[in-house]
Amino acid sequence: MSLDEMRASSARADTPLTAAILAGRWVRSAAVDDEHGRWWQANPDTRGASAVTAEPWSLYSGAAGVVLFFLELAAATGHEAYLEDARAGARRLAATWREQDDLTLYHGLTGVMIALMEAGWTLGEPAFESEAAAIADHIVRKGTERGDGVQWSRDPAQRGEGGIILGLLRAATHLGVPAYEEAAVEAGLRVARLPVPGHRFGDCADLPVDAVTPGFLAGTSGTAYLLARLYGVTGERRFLHAARSGAAFVREVSVVSGRCAVVPHHVPHARGLHYLGFCSGSAGVARMFYELYRVDGDPADLEWAERLARGIISSGAPRRRTEGYWNVACQCCGTAGVIELFVGLWAATGHRDHLDYAYALAADLIGRATDHNGQGYRWYQAYRRLRPGEVTADTGYMVGAAGIGSALLHLDAAGLPDRPRRIVLLPDNPFPSIPLPASAVNDG
């Protein structure tokens, strides 16, 4: 597949919904059934390569994320066949989760728990929610008691401890079990005592060991988001103080120009490398500032979320490719994750320019889709910025078509004020689950 073949086609006029349906066709082509249920190959392409290590169960690139996508596709289209896809995937997750050791949100059992809770609620199958509760019980039991609180991971970021705590908070609300919240809060208190929370990593691939990452998935912003969420749950001021410590660090290292801002990928080595996506860039960092605004009501936090959004627009994306916005389409570090930010800001603020920009991103994204063999839309991308020749087309949620399709479904819902629809948001997304501002619903 040449780069010319991946360029946007101005002749393509798919809507976000039809593009998501075609993405679903590609994901369906990867289905594998066994005695436990269904899972999906990370990449059914004839070349067989995948952007990531195989994790057939995970939220990041495996069945947990695909289940969520099919639940949303069913809600958007009314086609029950997608519910059967989701049911088969959830059945396998429920049957096999005890074989997994990883506890994290994106790569482990916390993500499986989220998928089973959503599947049980949507499909009306209490057995899935019972398995989700069993996972939550297992996670709580696995917590290591330390002198300064419960701990599952030495990494306080979203990719480690933070994602587990957010998952337990979601489980406490969904399943009605206060013990899950208690464990989450206890672990969060330990994180809150760290200096500049989320500041210590040192084991990120391709980074110097002394790098400090202000981003979301593996950085300060994600941990500050977690602490802000814990403040919203508990009202405990020490969580807010710690969250604001992290936010202050992010503001300090950001590059501000007029009413725009961008965040360095890591400091002190790469102050000029500004990712735009979710994992390490503006689309993720803006979530932290919006969460602070949501729980504490300071307009300055909302202004910082808007400032980061304007920084994305001023970069020239989606037409202009930069070092921090390269040939990548997925939720993790690409266009789909940026769409999620602007859909969320539209729902939160009612500013029409956010929705218009989300449509512009989607038009470019849809134009870059490929369907050369009639098996559905897939996006060939260089998932790893430092390996531009490593081009793959995955099916998973954070790295491939399922997550891209989900972002397009969220945009579809954001444009339907006469038909409000709940979308599935992960615990690290602070925006409204019905992606419409009150004014749009009333006007509709």
Side-chain angles (χ1 to χ4, degrees):
M1 180 64 57
S2 72
L3 290 176
D4 286 339
E5 289 174 279
M6 288 186 283
R7 287 178 183 158
S9 168
S10 59
R12 184 171 283 160
D14 300 325
T15 66
L17 178 58
T18 58
I21 291 170
L22 286 166
R25 183 183 298 174
W26 171 244
V27 177
R28 276 181 145 183
S29 75
V32 179
D33 290 329
D34 61 23
E35 69 274 17
H36 298 300
R38 182 170 301 162
W39 60 281
W40 292 267
Q41 300 172 70
N43 185 357
D45 193 285
T46 53
R47 289 174 290 178
S50 173
V52 295
T53 303
E55 294 175 347
W57 66 88
S58 78
L59 183 58
Y60 199 87
S61 59
V66 174
V67 165
L68 295 181
F69 170 54
F70 280 126
L71 291 174
E72 294 212 78
L73 199 50
T77 64
H79 294 323
E80 295 209 0
Y82 297 127
L83 293 180
E84 292 307 312
D85 290 315
R87 181 177 285 108
R91 188 181 303 121
R92 191 175 196 281
L93 290 173
T96 62
W97 69 262
R98 290 169 179 82
E99 301 171 9
Q100 313 307 330
D101 296 323
D102 191 315
L103 300 179
T104 61
L105 174 62
Y106 280 106
H107 298 283
L109 288 177
T110 301
V112 173
M113 177 186 70
I114 297 295
L116 287 173
M117 287 193 298
E118 286 288 341
W121 184 79
T122 303
L123 298 169
E125 296 205 14
F128 291 149
E129 291 181 295
S130 295
E131 290 298 322
I135 294 174
D137 291 338
H138 173 76
I139 291 171
V140 171
R141 287 195 302 270
K142 282 286 191 178
T144 301
E145 184 66 45
R146 293 167 46 98
D148 56 351
V150 175
Q151 181 177 5
W152 293 277
S153 166
R154 290 178 297 175
D155 187 343
Q158 296 281 19
R159 63 177 185 172
E161 195 89 339
I164 296 171
I165 295 171
L166 287 172
L168 286 176
L169 292 175
R170 172 73 65 88
T173 301
H174 186 106
L175 300 171
V177 181
Y180 303 153
E181 181 180 310
E182 292 167 7
V185 171
E186 184 180 351
L189 286 169
R190 185 189 61 78
V191 176
R193 286 189 285 268
L194 296 174
V196 188
H199 200 167
R200 297 178 176 176
F201 305 102
D203 61 343
C204 293
D206 303 318
L207 292 184
V209 294
D210 59 338
V212 175
T213 53
F216 197 79
L217 191 57
T220 306
S221 295
T223 306
Y225 172 97
L226 163 72
L227 294 162
R229 174 63 55 87
L230 285 166
Y231 169 69
V233 169
T234 67
E236 179 64 58
R237 299 290 297 184
R238 65 187 124 171
F239 286 128
L240 181 61
H241 175 77
R244 291 216 169 278
S245 175
F249 169 74
V250 173
R251 287 196 302 270
E252 181 180 345
V253 300
S254 295
V255 177
V256 178
S257 176
R259 298 174 64 234
C260 302
V262 289
V263 182
H265 182 267
H266 61 279
V267 293
H269 321 81
R271 291 185 179 274
L273 175 58
H274 305 132
Y275 275 32
L276 302 187
F278 159 75
C279 60
S280 301
S282 299
V285 175
R287 293 187 184 191
M288 179 266 290
F289 283 109
Y290 180 75
E291 179 68 0
L292 272 170
Y293 169 72
R294 192 183 70 83
V295 300
D296 197 37
D298 187 342
D301 294 317
L302 179 59
E303 170 54 28
W304 257 89
E306 297 268 21
R307 193 184 287 264
L308 289 162
R310 288 191 291 268
I312 292 172
I313 296 170
S314 68
S315 75
R319 294 299 180 185
R320 179 170 177 256
R321 301 290 162 179
T322 65
E323 193 176 8
Y325 185 73
W326 63 101
N327 174 30
V328 63
C330 64
Q331 284 263 4
C332 185
C333 42
T335 310
V338 182
I339 289 173
E340 296 281 17
L341 170 64
F342 282 89
V343 168
L345 286 173
W346 153 247
T349 68
H351 297 163
R352 177 73 198 196
D353 55 338
H354 292 317
L355 183 61
D356 291 341
Y357 188 66
Y359 279 124
L361 290 165
D364 180 79
L365 185 62
I366 293 168
R368 300 175 76 82
T370 299
D371 184 17
H372 59 80
N373 59 1
Q375 286 189 305
Y377 278 3
R378 79 295 311 258
W379 283 263
Y380 287 95
Q381 61 176 3
Y383 168 73
R384 291 180 174 83
R385 179 181 62 87
L386 297 178
R387 305 179 196 173
E390 203 175 86
V391 177
T392 59
D394 283 60
T395 59
Y397 196 93
M398 294 305 293
V399 295
I404 294 169
S406 294
L408 294 171
L409 291 174
H410 298 169
L411 177 57
D412 173 68
L416 298 173
D418 57 332
R419 284 176 282 164
R421 183 172 86 234
R422 173 186 177 269
I423 60 176
V424 176
L425 298 180
L426 299 180
D428 59 11
N429 190 319
F431 294 111
S433 58
I434 296 177
L436 292 163
S439 59
V441 176
N442 293 335
D443 290 346

